[in-house]
Amino acid sequence: MYFEGIITIDPSEITKIERIKPTKAFKRMLYHMTLGGVTDKQEQETFTAVSILQQLNKALIQKGITNIIRLSHDDIDFYLDEKGAKDDLKEAFDLYDLNAGTAMSSHFNTLLLVLEHEDDSFKYLLEVEICRSHSVGEHPIEIKLTGLLKEFSAVKGDVDNKLDNVFSSQESYDEYKREKLHDFTAFIDDFVLCIKKSIRVDDVHSEVKTKIIVPKRKPENERDLVRNREEGYHGLHYGYHGFDSYLYYSMIWSSVGHDHSVIHNDTYYESETGGDLGYLQEADSSSEYFDDTTDFDNRQDIFGEPDTVSSDTSSSDGGWFDFGSSDSSDSSFGSSCSSCSSCSSCGGD
């Protein structure tokens, strides 16, 4: 189990609406038949890369977040920390400012920042995606925060027994989740305040999810984790330096829970490479869905083929958990594309 927060930001910048060729086949046909009379629209942000990074930098420093892992401009890595350098945020921004130049700063599609942070309870991974062009009404900045529970770090050992204590009763499990969810939500709320103090914004939205990973097989140790190096993927399962020992417990959470019988409430499930498997308001931890002793081929008969994560896909129809429509209030669940995508799979509306 871990927690995921999504913050979307609409800065108070000048925005212009552009008419673009539609991506859906029928609309494309009408576009050509009407000589361009039928078009989709998208918002084009006018801020430069450097200006928005400077504003974000203020918010990050206010929150004490100074360790950056990655800084990419249109999939070009200007900075990638593979050794675990500390307090390198200024170094990365200076390097970008030096090498990007005025032209690149003024003309870009997507900026990506991946950062790390920790407090007493959590090891955080932050993914900041800034999209110059996006659908009308959507926010150009999205920050995804992942909170891994530090007390179950593999470095400290005895992970299975510690998890057994959490699963010892329904009351114990619910109380533990409630306490940690409260702490994570407090971090999100405080970070949103830092953003509002540092960036002139028209609107900020935030939401928090509880997530459980259901791997194909239980890993033996933190060195046995599966990497996801698919083009366009930059999340928790990428294999960033220093995260394996914290991620390991989350990979065995469902397996340890299967030996007990508690109810997972209001939870999203994902594969070992970050693919969405589904959402359930309630699921029994002793269910066959979480039985890692079952041969995977037989589990496939139950779940269907697991999904994969690509540059424009974060979910698929009918993964292991074919739950149908979600009852969650999260209106974004099930979306196959990020806010800055306009791929043909979702029609680019």
Side-chain angles (χ1 to χ4, degrees):
M1 178 180 73
Y2 71 88
F3 302 110
E4 179 182 277
I6 302 290
I7 301 171
T8 60
I9 307 166
D10 185 13
S12 300
E13 302 280 351
I14 299 174
T15 301
K16 63 180 181 180
I17 306 297
E18 291 192 341
R19 301 169 72 86
I20 58 172
K21 289 184 180 181
T23 54
K24 285 187 176 179
F26 182 68
K27 282 188 178 180
R28 284 200 302 269
M29 181 180 69
L30 288 178
Y31 176 85
H32 292 294
M33 290 175 63
T34 61
L35 300 179
V38 176
T39 61
D40 289 335
K41 293 180 180 180
Q42 66 177 196
E43 294 183 354
Q44 181 80 23
E45 301 298 332
T46 59
F47 51 66
T48 65
V50 169
S51 69
I52 205 66
L53 287 177
Q54 288 173 341
Q55 294 178 63
L56 279 170
N57 185 39
K58 293 179 183 178
L60 293 168
I61 290 176
Q62 274 196 33
K63 192 56 184 167
I65 302 170
T66 58
N67 292 337
I68 187 168
I69 300 173
R70 191 173 199 167
L71 196 164
S72 299
H73 176 125
D74 291 343
D75 297 324
I76 301 171
D77 284 334
F78 279 78
Y79 186 84
L80 181 60
D81 178 12
E82 298 180 295
K83 296 182 179 180
K86 301 296 183 184
D87 298 322
D88 51 351
L89 182 61
K90 184 179 185 304
E91 176 189 347
F93 280 7
D94 287 347
L95 187 66
Y96 174 80
D97 198 9
L98 178 66
N99 293 330
T102 304
M104 287 191 73
S105 176
S106 300
H107 300 92
F108 70 95
N109 292 318
T110 305
L111 283 176
L112 170 70
L113 285 77
V114 181
L115 307 105
E116 63 176 320
H117 184 63
E118 57 184 279
D119 56 23
D120 293 340
S121 298
F122 296 101
K123 174 78 168 181
Y124 298 98
L125 183 75
L126 297 88
E127 304 162 62
V128 184
E129 194 162 18
I130 306 165
C131 300
R132 176 181 287 279
S133 298
H134 52 92
S135 298
V136 174
E138 300 217 352
H139 292 176
I141 303 175
E142 178 181 284
I143 304 176
K144 180 187 291 186
L145 296 97
T146 298
L148 296 169
L149 297 159
K150 286 180 64 176
E151 66 189 278
F152 300 124
S153 168
V155 174
K156 299 179 180 180
D158 204 22
V159 178
D160 287 65
N161 286 335
K162 289 179 181 178
L163 294 182
D164 279 332
N165 290 333
V166 174
F167 283 98
S168 61
S169 69
Q170 186 69 53
E171 292 75 16
S172 173
Y173 187 82
D174 289 345
E175 179 57 30
Y176 183 83
K177 177 182 173 181
R178 186 161 42 247
E179 175 189 340
K180 297 304 180 183
L181 185 57
H182 175 272
D183 292 343
F184 183 78
T185 302
F187 181 89
I188 294 287
D189 292 343
D190 189 58
F191 188 35
V192 168
L193 286 178
C194 291
I195 290 170
K196 290 180 177 179
K197 290 177 183 178
S198 305
I199 305 173
R200 292 170 53 199
V201 297
D202 288 331
D203 195 19
V204 178
H205 289 165
S206 65
E207 61 173 318
V208 173
K209 297 177 181 178
T210 301
K211 306 194 82 170
I212 290 179
I213 300 169
V214 185
K216 297 178 184 177
R217 60 178 180 83
K218 181 180 178 180
E220 296 296 326
N221 51 56
E222 67 269 27
R223 295 177 297 278
D224 196 28
L225 302 183
V226 176
R227 304 280 190 239
N228 183 357
R229 297 293 174 89
E230 292 270 347
E231 182 179 356
Y233 180 79
H234 43 72
L236 180 63
H237 303 276
Y238 185 85
Y240 293 116
H241 182 277
F243 276 85
D244 287 355
S245 61
Y246 296 97
L247 181 58
Y248 169 68
Y249 86 87
S250 221
M251 288 291 184
I252 66 172
W253 187 277
S254 61
S255 177
V256 173
H258 183 261
D259 296 331
H260 303 268
S261 183
V262 302
I263 301 299
H264 299 304
N265 291 300
D266 189 24
T267 301
Y268 293 82
Y269 299 89
E270 72 177 25
S271 71
E272 60 199 340
T273 55
D276 289 332
L277 298 178
Y279 165 86
L280 278 180
Q281 287 187 333
E282 290 187 354
D284 194 320
S285 68
S286 63
S287 165
E288 59 186 342
Y289 299 134
F290 309 114
D291 184 5
D292 66 273
T293 63
T294 302
D295 182 77
F296 181 66
D297 289 337
N298 292 332
R299 294 177 75 191
Q300 278 187 303
D301 292 338
I302 300 170
F303 304 128
E305 290 287 345
D307 64 305
T308 58
V309 177
S310 63
S311 60
D312 62 356
T313 300
S314 60
S315 65
S316 67
D317 295 330
W320 289 357
F321 297 96
D322 191 6
F323 297 143
S325 61
S326 165
D327 291 328
S328 167
S329 59
D330 174 21
S331 61
S332 65
F333 178 74
S335 173
S336 61
C337 293
S338 66
S339 63
C340 59
S341 297
S342 57
C343 62
S344 57
S345 64
C346 68
D349 286 337

